Amino acid sequence: MNDAAPAHTPAPRRARLRAPELVGKGGWLNTGGKDLSLAELRGRVVILDFWTFCCINCLHVLDELRELEEKHRDTVVIIGVHSPKFVHEAEHAAVVDAVERYEVHHPVLDDPELATWKQYAVRAWPTLVVIDPEGYIVAQHAGEGHAHAIARLVEELEAEHAAKGTLRRGDGPYVAPEPVATDLRFPGKALVLPGGNLLVSDSTRHQLVELAPDGESVVRRIGSGERGFTPDAFSEPQGLALLPDGSVIVADTVNHALRRFDPATGAVETVAGTGRQWWQGSPTSGPALEVDLSSPWDVAWWQGKVWIAMAGVHQLWTWDPQTGTVAVSAGTTSEGLHDGPALEAWLAQPSGLAAAGDRLWIADSENSALRYVEPAGEGADGAEGAEGYVVRTAVGTGLFDFGHRDGDAAQALLQHPLGVTALPDGSVAVCDTYNHALRRFDPATGQVSTLATDLREPSDAVLVGEDILVVESARHRLTRLRLPEEAVRVDAVAHRTQRAATEVAPGTLRLDVVFQAPTGQKLDTRYGPSTRLMVSSTPPELLVGGEGTGTDLFRELALNPEVTEGVLHVSAMAASCDDDPANEYPACHVHQQDWGVPVTVTAGGATRLPLVLAGMDA
């Protein structure tokens, strides 16, 4: 089926809104030092990608756009608008690092004060905005799964504006930065091999690197160094776990797979995942090589299985090497902080794991939290039997609170931790990534302290004798520290995300998720409803009606007059398929997004909350 519109087909009528200019205090990256404006991009299709580098969904979209970016390089200009959630992400140097780390090969506007975000009324990471060659907004898409729809729209715009004479082809404004030579480039995780050498995931170079015990001398590299899903290629590998047989399980993050590496022979094989990303409605258990995974970020051997920090869907999964199967073991795919029976708990981009006796510690990055899984025991927390697990929180309060504060765990703060390491005395070290610090939590006292500062985006740490070796990801090295006997004193600082709250009126709030199927497609109703909407709130008392799951993309929400502020959690999914009755096997696509919308209840506030999944809000 040819997706391009025939020459005689009249151009579709679209709602058009003049695109605001691009403004960002941090300036431009990947342009050779030149500032860009929409005026000088007239004649090109411009796609704005509002992203922030902590967000796993944003990283998924970067990968979704790579094929479109290459195929339409002479007509399309993708511009990343970096809009930070965390304080660290507002640092210009951190944005520069992230652009290299994730191989962003298009111009990026650093917008630390969210000026352009506000001009475009963006409500979620990631959001894509399509601007036509005449400078008008013609579509907006929130979340993942929209690459096919945008590709079709681009082809329509190319045909339409070629006919009008308003399409301009040529080289884009992207200018590649100069490469830097280092042995490691944004390393992710590390482990100690039985012989004493170190194995490191060299994520940006798509390799594993074996180092001598000094942590500096390169012994060998594993992988070609090019993205791929073959025995000699990885794609942004992260977590590493040593199995009892001496082999290593690798979280091959962007390949959505687990690989087994044999240090003795150098062989690499896939043991879980298909290379495709998991979507809502896909199987959540079964033969490991037949079930899709989603951005596995770390792995740990615990209780006879490999536990997987499945960052892409806010869950923990397990791989059983005896049966060759995978299954969800904790989390619901809802993003947030909620303790309880493991399969009912909420996580938020778990990115680090460490096994310690009867506990599996979790660096729950988007919650800025340290959490753990443990066996529930008979009757505990509603779970039954030895197979039941519960999730509990040691440090952290949720998606919007973060900072650097020591002391009692109930009020201590972290900022987007990516790594956790069990220490011999029963405490745990936390790689507090966006605070550039190594922190310590002692379960015996309930106290949080700081062990070291001035580390640059630490992402993992391993014990080597009496020392701890920290992966300083943004300094491209391993740093050896002696575990201190006394904590470092740090001035306390607390933050909340800087997004402005939406003012809503008390009483009834109409929630509308806007979804328009791409041209040539329709909602897929062959097997029942093709849309799903889940709504909840923090605190739960904010809503007295309208929470729960349904199939309509609209909902009447009843707000509690006694609660003046909170967060609405909205998760929407829509499936669309090719609208061709003659095609027995139409191509289908899933569009999905989760929103966390801070709201303030006030007289005169809005009575309608529109959230655009795909299309334009009329």
Side-chain angles (χ1 to χ4, degrees):
M1 179 177 175
N2 188 351
D3 289 342
H8 63 274
T9 301
R13 295 183 62 84
R14 300 186 187 90
R16 299 202 309 173
L17 179 70
R18 177 64 72 181
E21 193 49 82
L22 306 177
V23 179
K25 189 175 181 180
W28 289 88
L29 304 175
N30 284 354
T31 63
K34 179 182 177 181
D35 290 348
L36 300 183
S37 70
L38 287 178
E40 65 189 276
L41 295 174
R42 292 284 166 78
R44 312 295 289 273
V45 179
V46 176
I47 300 172
L48 304 182
D49 176 15
F50 289 86
W51 70 300
T52 189
F53 63 78
C54 73
C55 164
I56 190 66
N57 312 92
C58 299
L59 304 186
H60 290 168
V61 167
L62 283 175
D63 290 314
E64 287 179 5
L65 292 176
R66 292 186 197 280
E67 182 179 350
L68 181 146
E69 186 171 24
E70 182 60 34
K71 183 178 179 181
H72 298 274
R73 187 167 293 280
D74 66 334
T75 58
V76 171
V77 175
I78 297 177
I79 293 177
V81 182
H82 189 269
S83 313
K85 171 186 173 181
F86 291 99
V87 169
H88 169 58
E89 293 175 304
E91 298 175 14
H92 183 70
V95 181
V96 173
D97 285 344
V99 167
E100 180 190 350
R101 180 195 296 267
Y102 297 115
E103 297 183 299
V104 180
H105 293 164
H106 51 249
V108 173
L109 175 65
D110 180 11
D111 183 18
E113 296 177 345
L114 302 182
T116 296
W117 166 288
K118 294 170 185 174
Q119 284 291 313
Y120 281 80
V122 175
R123 293 184 183 274
W125 297 278
T127 291
L128 298 168
V129 176
V130 182
I131 301 171
D132 73 11
E134 294 179 291
Y136 290 92
I137 297 170
V138 293
Q140 182 172 324
H141 302 263
E144 304 176 49
H146 301 295
H148 74 287
I150 293 176
R152 180 164 296 192
L153 176 57
V154 165
E155 290 173 354
E156 293 174 2
L157 292 171
E158 287 175 343
E160 175 184 341
H161 288 273
K164 292 174 65 175
T166 51
L167 183 71
R168 178 167 56 90
R169 296 179 181 271
D171 294 334
Y174 169 68
V175 178
E178 288 293 324
V180 181
T182 53
D183 287 333
L184 300 173
R185 205 69 193 161
F186 298 104
K189 306 288 185 181
L191 60 74
V192 180
L193 293 169
N197 283 355
L198 296 152
L199 189 67
V200 183
S201 55
D202 198 18
S203 301
T204 296
R205 293 214 177 104
H206 316 296
Q207 292 180 317
L208 309 181
V209 178
E210 185 175 343
L211 301 175
D214 63 7
E216 298 180 7
S217 305
V218 176
V219 176
R220 59 173 165 168
R221 296 181 179 275
I222 300 96
S224 66
E226 300 292 331
R227 287 182 187 272
F229 191 37
T230 62
D232 69 340
F234 301 92
S235 188
E236 297 183 31
Q238 286 284 342
L240 307 168
L242 188 66
L243 297 189
D245 65 3
S247 65
V248 175
I249 295 298
V250 182
D252 196 4
T253 304
V254 178
N255 277 328
H256 309 294
L258 299 189
R259 319 292 291 280
R260 190 206 302 260
F261 166 62
D262 185 344
T265 65
V268 175
E269 64 172 330
T270 302
V271 296
T274 63
R276 297 183 299 270
Q277 183 183 340
W278 184 94
W279 292 96
Q280 289 285 354
S282 301
T284 56
S285 64
L289 292 171
E290 299 175 13
V291 178
D292 300 338
L293 308 181
S294 182
S295 297
W297 205 275
D298 202 6
V299 280
W301 177 255
W302 186 60
Q303 303 229 334
K305 297 179 181 179
V306 171
W307 287 67
I308 310 163
M310 202 72 79
V313 285
H314 317 300
Q315 291 180 313
L316 303 183
W317 288 39
T318 50
W319 172 63
D320 186 338
Q322 295 298 316
T323 62
T325 57
V326 291
V328 174
S329 294
T332 66
T333 75
S334 293
E335 184 181 18
L337 193 151
H338 175 68
D339 290 345
L343 292 175
E344 300 173 17
W346 290 17
L347 302 164
Q349 212 169 301
S351 301
L353 299 174
D358 61 356
R359 285 185 177 177
L360 179 70
W361 293 96
I362 310 164
D364 202 22
S365 62
E366 281 293 283
N367 277 322
S368 296
L370 173 64
R371 305 176 75 186
Y372 58 93
V373 180
E374 65 180 359
E378 184 69 33
D381 293 86
E384 296 181 1
E387 295 301 315
Y389 293 93
V390 293
V391 174
R392 306 187 196 280
T393 299
V395 182
T397 59
L399 288 168
F400 300 99
D401 296 293
F402 56 92
H404 192 151
R405 187 162 64 199
D406 288 333
D408 186 77
Q411 56 84 50
L413 293 171
L414 309 169
Q415 186 181 179
H416 198 79
L418 291 179
V420 60
T421 306
L423 299 180
D425 63 359
S427 65
V428 289
V430 180
C431 286
D432 195 5
T433 309
Y434 288 3
N435 280 327
H436 310 300
L438 187 68
R439 312 284 293 283
R440 176 178 179 263
F441 169 67
D442 185 352
T445 64
Q447 295 293 300
V448 175
S449 56
T450 298
L451 298 177
T453 58
D454 192 32
L455 301 167
R456 188 69 183 172
E457 292 193 18
S459 56
D460 197 20
V462 293
L463 290 172
V464 180
E466 295 183 355
D467 296 337
I468 189 165
L469 210 57
V470 179
V471 179
E472 274 198 276
S473 189
R475 283 200 178 113
H476 320 294
R477 70 187 188 191
L478 306 187
T479 298
R480 187 180 299 268
L481 303 173
R482 180 58 55 92
L483 279 171
E485 295 182 3
E486 294 185 6
V488 178
R489 292 186 62 86
V490 177
D491 292 335
V493 59
H495 302 289
R496 284 182 65 83
T497 52
Q498 58 177 311
R499 281 189 296 164
T502 299
E503 293 188 352
V504 297
T508 300
L509 177 67
R510 165 83 179 202
L511 171 66
D512 283 318
V513 173
V514 178
F515 177 76
Q516 296 159 3
T519 303
Q521 293 199 335
K522 64 178 181 179
L523 289 174
D524 178 18
T525 57
R526 291 171 299 162
Y527 308 108
S530 60
T531 56
R532 187 181 71 169
L533 179 63
M534 299 170 57
V535 180
S536 61
S537 65
T538 303
E541 296 78 20
L542 175 64
L543 289 177
V544 293
E547 67 274 18
T549 302
T551 57
D552 292 324
L553 291 181
F554 61 88
R555 190 78 59 84
E556 297 286 342
L557 306 180
L559 301 175
N560 186 341
E562 297 180 3
V563 179
T564 59
E565 63 179 10
V567 178
L568 293 174
H569 302 283
V570 180
S571 178
M573 183 274 289
S576 63
C577 292
D578 290 341
D579 187 9
D580 181 0
N583 185 355
E584 186 177 356
Y585 303 104
C588 298
H589 304 273
V590 176
H591 317 251
Q592 64 183 41
Q593 171 62 5
D594 296 333
W595 290 267
V597 184
V599 296
T600 300
V601 182
T602 180
T607 58
R608 176 177 178 265
L609 177 62
L611 300 175
V612 177
L613 179 60
M616 297 282 284
D617 180 27

